[in-house]
């Protein structure tokens, strides 16, 4: 009893700030406030000019349909009676439509005028408050009236839900809505990563369609809820109207492709439906590309009309197929139904066709998000069915193998003596073959070493270098790791040959190859004699800094080493060119070598006995 009482007291203490805050909360919807409008006929009028208009030039807002706002720019005027409120809690004019292109707000209180701009075509840093729902601070007055002038500019959305609030509840609602949308986008992101993993393992196009569906659908959610224009492209507001119409069509295109895969059994029996799905997919893809070149108003109208028509047609076709074949899963119908219902509700509300409570719009957003879960469940179900079919095939094959094994055992029992003799013969022949095979393997190993090793220095030769370079290219491209190449050339080697003979020159080359090979520690790093006194060193998964360190150790070690020849003790130096690349599809087969060769040339020109990178070569050319 005491424990229960303590819990109640603690709960009351925790809720007390919320109760006090709720007592001071204020929210007044301005749906019933008379609104007047003036159509500017596409003429740019300043606020001063509009304020001087005669009263008879203003018309009642009830005299026009919402579609008029799509074609022209309007000025709206309303008078608002401000209620008494606490000075510590300022009042805000709230407009809960994140898709309005631009609103210029002028708040007139006696002789003072406050102006603000907002909308999804306005950069985030220019808005009074960076939230999808637009808030405009009102003057701090007690129970007086103000006049609000709104310059409305929009090419698609038309509804302007007005309200006055003095509570943080509205901001918390916006925050909670953003958190909800963030959770949905987080779920979508997790599903995207899982789909990428599945596609990498299974290599099936259905996962690419599902990946595109979630990507385009997730971006469409962010655009529709106004979050994209705040957090993603806030300083590039033109992106919002450019990408939003095609996003929904691309989402529908991916959904049709997914439907063809998920309903493949039913479509196999009705080729006409399969052709219809294919035709719809091609048409939507072409239209989505065309929308990028159209004005926003036309693009929105075309995308909404086309999308609703396609969604209704797809839902009807799937319902007919389900009735005929019973092979269409109810979740697939539910996913398409959620798509069309949420889109109709959102389009109807933002276009001003239907007035809806805020909870219905939030429900529409939830339904639109729900379809991603439904599509994910459908794809997962298809994957499970595919695995089950594969397991059934394996089980059937295993049963056949067992039957064949039993038959083989029976035959072996019938011919046991012959089999023993045959086994002895086979063992003898196998032993002979194994001996011969080992001899061949040893011979092949020796031949391979002779074919890939340089006869003079013992390091890898030019042929091995060419083959290994291609292999390292593929490895770097696949793993996105850096690949480095060192080109090493003995300085004034011709003078060594001319002065001390070719035998001394050969001994110098052998010593250089031995030093470089001893310095390389990793098994996948190779020293190759490229030709004459030039050596190529391949360093896989090594950036430019690491490659330069290796090159400097080699250069310093060679410079410090006294090479003993039959004729004389020599000290030689080398110049090294370094090139590092992240290999991709556009990298040429010889690009890495050419850059290293240019760096080596720069090292020679810079006085020899040094190391130069390709970047240093470019800098010298630019100078």
């Amino acid at each position: 009893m005491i424990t229960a009482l303590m819990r109640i007291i603690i709960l009351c203490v925790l809720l007390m700030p919320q109760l006090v805050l709720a007592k001071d909360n204020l929210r007044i919807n301005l749906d019933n406030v008379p609104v007047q409008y003036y159509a500017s006929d596409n003429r740019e009028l300043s606020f001063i000019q509009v304020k001087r208009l005669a009263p008879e030039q203003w018309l009642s807002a009830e005299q026009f349909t919402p579609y008029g706002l799509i074609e022209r720019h309007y000025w709206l005027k309303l008078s608002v009676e401000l209620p008494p409120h606490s000075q510590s809690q300022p009042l805000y004019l709230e407009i809960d439509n994140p898709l309005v292109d631009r609103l210029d707000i002028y708040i007139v209180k006696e002789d003072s005028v406050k102006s603000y701009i907002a909308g999804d075509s306005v950069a985030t840093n220019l808005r009074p408050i960076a939230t999808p729902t637009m808030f405009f601070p009102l003057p701090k007055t007690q129970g007086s009236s103000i006049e609000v002038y709104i310059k409305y500019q929009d090419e698609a959305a038309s509804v302007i839900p007005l309200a006055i609030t003095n509570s943080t509840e509205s901001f918390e609602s916006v925050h909670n809505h953003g958190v909800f949308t963030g959770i949905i986008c987080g779920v979508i992101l997790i599903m995207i990563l899982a789909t990428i993993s599945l596609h990498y393992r299974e290599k099936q196009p259905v996962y690419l369609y599902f990946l595109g569906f979630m990507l385009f659908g997730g971006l469409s959610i962010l655009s529709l809820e106004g979050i994209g224009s705040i957090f993603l492209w806030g300083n590039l507001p033109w992106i919002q109207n450019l990408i939003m119409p095609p996003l929904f069509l691309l989402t529908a295109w991916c959904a049709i492709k997914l439907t063809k895969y998920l309903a493949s059994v039913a479509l196999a029996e009705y080729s006409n439906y399969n052709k219809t799905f294919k035709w719809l997919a091609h048409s939507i893809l072409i239209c989505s590309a065309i929308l990028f070149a159209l004005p926003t108003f036309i693009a929105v109208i075309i995308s909404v009309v086309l999308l609703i028509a396609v969604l209704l047609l797809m839902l009807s076709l799937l319902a007919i197929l389900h009735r005929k074949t019973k092979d269409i899963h109810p979740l697939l119908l539910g996913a398409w139904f959620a798509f069309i219902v949420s889109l109709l509700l959102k389009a109807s509300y933002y276009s001003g066709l239907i007035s809806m409570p805020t909870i219905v719009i939030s429900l529409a957003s939830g339904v639109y998000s729900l379809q991603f879960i439904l599509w994910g469940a459908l794809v997962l179900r298809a994957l499970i069915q595919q695995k089950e079919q594969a397991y059934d095939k394996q089980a059937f094959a295993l049963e056949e193998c067992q039957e064949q094994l039993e038959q083989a055992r029976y035959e072996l029992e019938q011919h046991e003596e012959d089999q023993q003799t045959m086994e002895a013969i086979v063992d003898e022949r196998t032993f002979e073959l194994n001996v011969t095979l080992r001899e061949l393997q040893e011979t092949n190993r020796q031949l391979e070493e002779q074919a890939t090793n340089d006869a003079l220095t013992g390091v890898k030769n030019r042929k091995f270098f060419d083959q290994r370079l291609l292999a390292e290219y593929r490895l770097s491209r696949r793993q996105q790791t850096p690949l480095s190449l060192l080109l090493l050339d003995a300085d004034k080697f011709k003078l060594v040959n001319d002065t001390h003979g070719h035998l001394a020159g050969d001994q110098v080359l052998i010593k250089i190859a031995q030093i470089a090979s001893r310095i390389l520690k990793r098994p996948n790093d190779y020293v190759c004699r490229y030709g004459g006194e030039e050596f190529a060193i391949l360093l896989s998964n090594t950036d430019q800094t690491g490659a330069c360190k290796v090159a400097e150790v080699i250069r310093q070690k060679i410079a410090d080493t006294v090479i003993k020849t039959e004729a004389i003790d020599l000290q030689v130096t080398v110049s090294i060119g370094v090139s590092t690349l992240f290999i991709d599809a556009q990298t040429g087969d010889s690009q890495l070598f050419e850059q290293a060769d240019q760096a080596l040339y720069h090292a020679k020109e810079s006085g020899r006995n040094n190391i130069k990178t390709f970047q240093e070569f470019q800098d010298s050319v630019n100078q």
Side-chain angles (χ1 to χ4, degrees):
M1 184 67 180
I2 296 176
T3 303
L5 183 60
M6 291 297 296
R7 290 178 179 176
I8 293 174
I9 294 174
I10 294 173
L11 182 62
C12 292
V13 171
L14 293 176
L15 291 179
M16 185 61 67
Q18 301 296 328
L19 295 174
V20 173
L21 182 62
K23 182 178 179 181
D24 294 334
N25 282 348
L26 171 67
R27 180 176 179 83
I28 302 175
N29 291 324
L30 303 180
D31 297 339
N32 298 323
V33 174
V35 178
Q36 294 179 306
Y37 83 98
Y38 173 77
S40 63
D41 294 327
N42 294 325
R43 291 186 293 110
E44 290 292 335
L45 295 181
S46 66
F47 167 68
I48 301 299
Q49 293 173 314
V50 171
K51 196 171 184 299
R52 293 174 180 172
L53 293 174
E56 59 270 14
Q57 292 181 273
W58 292 93
L59 302 177
S60 172
E62 299 176 356
Q63 300 177 17
F64 67 92
T65 63
Y67 298 106
L69 291 174
I70 296 177
E71 300 173 356
R72 302 159 69 185
H73 295 173
Y74 286 84
W75 281 88
L76 305 179
K77 180 175 73 170
L78 65 154
S79 180
V80 180
E81 192 74 23
L82 297 180
H85 62 281
S86 171
Q87 293 292 334
S88 62
Q89 296 189 34
L91 293 177
Y92 294 91
L93 175 65
E94 175 187 312
I95 301 179
D96 190 10
N97 184 353
L99 299 184
V100 176
D101 283 351
R102 178 178 174 124
L103 292 176
D104 292 68
I105 307 294
Y106 297 89
I107 301 173
V108 181
K109 169 62 179 172
E110 296 177 353
D111 295 333
S112 63
V113 179
K114 291 287 186 179
S115 62
Y116 307 98
I117 60 172
D120 64 7
S121 65
V122 178
T124 304
N125 57 352
L126 299 179
R127 306 184 188 187
I129 299 177
T131 56
T133 300
M134 291 175 277
F135 293 94
F136 305 96
L138 296 178
K140 292 184 177 181
T141 58
Q142 292 285 349
S144 60
S145 64
I146 61 171
E147 281 190 339
V148 178
Y149 290 81
I150 302 175
K151 183 180 181 182
Y152 178 96
Q153 303 179 57
D154 204 309
E155 298 184 3
S158 62
V159 66
I160 308 179
L162 299 171
I164 290 180
T165 178
N166 76 327
S167 170
T168 57
E169 181 181 358
S170 297
F171 296 104
E172 291 175 356
S173 176
V174 172
H175 172 73
N176 294 336
H177 180 71
V179 170
F180 172 75
T181 307
I183 292 174
I184 294 299
C185 292
V187 172
I188 293 175
L189 180 60
I190 293 173
M191 295 171 67
I192 287 175
L193 295 177
T195 304
I196 292 174
S197 176
L198 284 174
H199 175 68
Y200 181 79
R201 186 177 61 185
E202 303 293 336
K203 305 297 184 183
Q204 293 189 17
V206 63
Y207 299 113
L208 291 179
Y209 298 139
F210 186 55
L211 181 64
F213 177 79
M214 291 185 295
L215 181 61
F216 296 135
L219 288 176
S220 66
I221 288 179
L222 296 178
S223 300
L224 196 61
E225 300 299 332
I227 296 177
S229 60
I230 296 295
F231 299 105
L232 296 183
W233 45 80
N235 294 324
L236 300 171
W238 54 269
I239 294 179
Q240 173 82 0
N241 289 334
L242 176 66
I243 68 171
M244 193 164 70
L247 276 179
F248 288 98
L249 291 184
L250 291 173
T251 304
W253 177 79
C254 293
I256 293 175
K257 288 291 189 179
L258 283 173
T259 303
K260 286 186 63 179
Y261 174 80
L262 297 173
S264 57
V265 176
L267 291 175
E269 300 179 12
Y270 298 92
S271 59
N272 291 334
Y273 289 92
N274 192 15
K275 292 179 181 178
T276 303
F277 283 12
K278 185 177 180 180
W279 177 81
L280 282 176
H282 289 330
S283 301
I284 288 180
L285 194 60
I286 294 172
C287 290
S288 62
I290 295 175
L291 290 182
F292 283 104
L294 296 178
T296 303
F297 163 64
I298 299 176
V300 170
I301 295 298
I302 291 177
S303 63
V304 171
V305 173
L306 180 62
L307 188 57
I308 292 177
V310 169
L311 294 181
L312 288 174
L313 179 59
M314 285 295 299
L315 191 59
S316 302
L317 292 176
L318 289 174
I320 295 172
L321 279 174
H322 178 68
R323 188 180 62 182
K324 289 182 176 181
T325 64
K326 304 300 181 182
D327 289 329
I328 304 299
H329 197 274
L331 282 181
L332 185 58
L333 293 172
W336 279 100
F337 182 76
F339 202 166
I340 182 64
V341 168
S342 59
L343 182 65
L344 280 173
L345 289 176
K346 285 283 190 179
S348 300
Y349 175 75
Y350 284 126
S351 64
L353 292 176
I354 301 175
S355 178
M356 301 179 191
T358 304
I359 188 172
V360 176
I361 302 305
S362 300
L363 182 62
S365 300
V367 172
Y368 188 83
S369 304
L370 175 64
Q371 65 169 323
F372 295 99
I373 307 298
L374 297 178
W375 285 109
L378 287 166
V379 172
L380 181 61
R381 176 178 175 272
L383 175 63
I384 293 174
Q385 288 181 339
Q386 182 183 12
K387 293 298 182 183
E388 288 178 349
Q389 292 175 358
Y391 292 151
D392 291 341
K393 290 181 179 179
Q394 291 178 355
F396 179 75
L398 181 59
E399 290 179 359
E400 289 187 342
C401 290
Q402 289 177 346
E403 292 177 357
Q404 294 175 2
L405 181 60
E406 292 296 332
Q407 181 67 24
R409 286 177 178 174
Y410 175 76
E411 293 177 355
L412 287 174
E413 290 175 358
Q414 297 296 321
H415 306 283
E416 183 175 358
E417 292 182 358
D418 295 340
Q419 183 65 30
Q420 291 177 352
T421 304
M422 183 63 67
E423 287 178 356
I425 296 174
V426 169
D427 289 341
E428 182 181 355
R429 298 301 182 194
T430 302
F431 175 77
E432 295 175 356
L433 288 174
N434 287 333
V435 172
T436 305
L437 180 61
R438 284 195 293 270
E439 293 175 351
L440 287 174
Q441 288 176 342
E442 181 63 23
T443 303
N444 287 335
R445 186 187 63 79
Q446 294 175 357
L447 290 174
E448 183 177 355
E449 288 184 356
Q450 293 175 2
T452 59
N453 288 356
D454 179 60
L456 175 64
T457 61
V459 297
K460 299 299 182 181
N461 58 15
R462 169 74 174 275
K463 177 182 178 182
F464 176 85
F465 171 77
D466 293 337
Q467 295 174 349
R468 190 63 195 178
L469 182 62
L470 292 176
E472 292 292 343
Y473 259 58
R474 290 192 294 268
L475 186 64
S476 175
R477 185 184 299 113
R478 182 171 62 253
Q479 298 181 351
Q480 283 298 294
T481 54
L483 175 62
S484 295
L485 174 64
L486 311 182
L487 278 186
L488 181 150
D489 187 81
D491 295 331
K492 299 181 180 180
F493 184 73
K494 185 176 183 302
L495 182 62
V496 174
N497 281 336
D498 294 343
T499 304
H500 305 291
H502 288 280
L503 181 59
D506 291 345
Q507 292 174 335
V508 168
L509 293 178
I510 293 171
K511 192 63 177 179
I512 290 175
Q514 291 175 348
I515 293 172
S517 298
R518 284 196 298 267
I519 290 174
L520 299 182
K521 304 298 183 183
R522 299 186 303 180
N524 290 332
D525 295 339
Y526 299 96
V527 179
C528 307
R529 185 183 180 188
Y530 192 78
E533 68 274 17
E534 195 171 46
F535 295 86
I537 301 174
L538 276 171
L539 302 175
S540 64
N541 194 13
T542 303
D543 58 14
Q544 181 172 292
T545 302
C548 290
K549 290 181 179 180
V550 174
E552 175 60 24
V553 172
I554 293 174
R555 184 201 66 79
Q556 187 63 48
K557 185 66 176 177
I558 293 174
D560 295 341
T561 300
V562 177
I563 302 175
K564 298 182 180 298
T565 66
E566 295 182 359
I568 191 174
D569 292 345
L570 298 174
Q571 277 188 298
V572 297
T573 61
V574 295
S575 299
I576 303 176
V578 180
S579 173
T580 302
L581 285 176
F582 283 86
I583 308 302
D584 54 27
Q586 286 73 38
T587 305
D589 293 342
S590 60
Q591 183 175 344
L592 183 67
F593 181 85
E594 290 175 353
Q595 291 183 1
D597 189 53
Q598 290 171 337
L600 176 60
Y601 173 80
H602 183 49
K604 289 288 189 180
E605 290 295 319
S606 300
R608 298 183 177 88
N609 191 24
N610 58 25
I611 299 167
K612 295 294 180 181
T613 65
F614 177 71
Q615 183 63 43
E616 292 174 329
F617 167 74
Q618 284 186 315
D619 294 341
S620 67
V621 172
N622 293 332
Q623 291 176 357

